Structure formats: structure tokens, C-alpha cells
Amino acid sequence: MANTVKKSKEVTKKTQKTKATANTKHTSVKSSFVFKGTADLYLLNTTTRVDCRRQFNKSLSPIYGVEEYFWTGVIKKGEVRLVRKDLRKVPVSNVSNSGITLVGKAISYFKVENAMTINSLECSDQVYNYCNEDSKLVYVGDDEIHTVYVRIYDNTYGNDNDRWVTLSIE
């Protein structure tokens, strides 16, 4: 009987050691999945998961002199959502005068469904899309790696309300 108790204790110790090792491995995998971007902005395409692979980086636009976000990765045909970490949609669609401007190549790679679309009279490579709650940004290009550039504008009163997005792509 003493041998059975001794073996039982050894098995228990091995099980605890294995569980501890497994937990350590799990924790290290979890910690390597840290958010690496510098912005609270994410591109969701075929998933609703917010993680470092979908996180934008922030920089100062050399052209416009304002904050600009950029992300590089594979985009697949279908709906594309720009969201904050708490999954709030950008641009917001519950305020008037909100929308998305497609610039340059973005005009041929994206379309905005259920929006009022206006071609710019001043600049032939810009399309303004006034959005509502039913509007959605859709990627219509081939499944491939792109760099997406986004500038976000708030209203003129200084409220942080993610009212308008300007989107370009390489």
C-alpha cells in the first residue's frame, strides 16, 4: 500500500509540473501577442478579431502635416471595417456629415455601398461617400498585400467623433 501511495504522489507531482509548464508556455504565447502598432485603429476584413496583425501605426503625414495611420497586410474581397479597440466603427455613422473619401488607387480597390457618392469637381482622384448606418466599405480588388493609409477627421468643434475618413492604398 505504501508503494501505491508513493506512486500516486509521484504521478500527482508530474501532473502538476506538466500543468505548470503548459501554463508557462501558454502565457509566453499570450505575451508575444502584444499589440505592436501605435494607434487605436484596426482593419477588420474577414474577421472580427482585434489584434496586432490588424493594428495600424501612426505617423505624421509628410504631405498633409496631420496624423496619418498606415497598415500593411493582405486584404480579401468583401467588407472592410475600420474600428477602434472597443470595436466602435470609424467613421461613425450616427452623426450627420460623416463618410469616407477614397483617394487615388483606392477608388478602384474599394466601393462604399449604401452611401451618397460624389465625384470631386476639383480633384479627379477623389470620391466623397456620405455614409449612413447602412453604409459599408467593400474591398473589390484582388486578394493581395497592400499598404492602406487613413486620415481621420473630427467635426469643426474639436469633438473627437471620428466623423470622416480619407483612405488611400498602395
Side-chain angles (χ1 to χ4, degrees), residues 28-43:
S28 65
V29 168
K30 211 174 187 181
S31 65
S32 69
F33 210 56
V34 173
F35 292 91
K36 296 178 182 175
T38 57
D40 179 17
L41 185 65
Y42 304 83
L43 186 141

Side-chain angles (χ1 to χ4, degrees), residues 43-49 54 75-80:
L43 186 141
L44 304 182
N45 183 215
T46 58
T47 184
T48 58
R49 186 174 175 179
R54 296 166 184 85
I75 306 177
K76 297 184 178 197
K77 287 184 195 253
E79 184 177 4
V80 172

Side-chain angles (χ1 to χ4, degrees):
M1 174 130 176
N3 283 343
T4 307
V5 171
K6 189 176 180 181
K7 284 184 181 180
S8 176
K9 284 183 181 179
E10 285 176 14
V11 169
T12 303
K13 283 183 183 178
K14 283 183 181 177
T15 303
Q16 288 173 345
K17 188 175 181 180
T18 304
K19 284 182 181 178
T21 304
N23 288 340
T24 304
K25 286 180 183 174
H26 179 69
T27 304
S28 65
V29 168
K30 211 174 187 181
S31 65
S32 69
F33 210 56
V34 173
F35 292 91
K36 296 178 182 175
T38 57
D40 179 17
L41 185 65
Y42 304 83
L43 186 141
L44 304 182
N45 183 215
T46 58
T47 184
T48 58
R49 186 174 175 179
V50 170
D51 61 33
C52 63
R53 290 175 293 172
R54 296 166 184 85
Q55 186 175 18
F56 279 78
N57 284 292
K58 184 177 10 177
S59 68
L60 184 65
S61 169
I63 298 170
Y64 301 102
V66 298
E67 233 174 48
E68 183 173 57
Y69 305 94
F70 63 95
W71 173 85
T72 301
V74 175
I75 306 177
K76 297 184 178 197
K77 287 184 195 253
E79 184 177 4
V80 172
R81 293 186 311 138
L82 300 172
V83 299
R84 297 294 187 181
K85 190 172 186 175
D86 62 5
L87 296 179
R88 281 180 295 127
K89 188 176 172 187
V90 178
V92 296
S93 57
N94 60 348
V95 296
S96 62
N97 198 23
S98 65
I100 300 169
T101 300
L102 300 176
V103 179
K105 293 178 184 177
I107 295 169
S108 58
Y109 283 101
F110 292 97
K111 67 179 180 176
V112 181
E113 294 180 349
N114 301 315
M116 181 174 69
T117 300
I118 300 172
N119 293 321
S120 173
L121 296 175
E122 298 171 355
C123 192
S124 62
D125 73 339
Q126 292 184 0
V127 175
Y128 303 105
N129 297 277
Y130 289 84
C131 296
N132 59 55
E133 291 180 4
D134 298 323
S135 300
K136 65 180 179 178
L137 179 64
V138 178
Y139 178 74
V140 295
D142 293 332
D143 298 359
E144 57 190 18
I145 296 175
H146 288 287
T147 298
V148 176
Y149 297 92
V150 172
R151 292 186 312 281
I152 300 174
Y153 297 95
D154 298 318
N155 68 15
T156 57
Y157 301 109
N159 297 337
D160 290 334
N161 62 359
D162 297 338
R163 179 188 66 77
W164 201 275
V165 166
T166 301
L167 188 141
S168 56
I169 191 170
E170 286 182 0

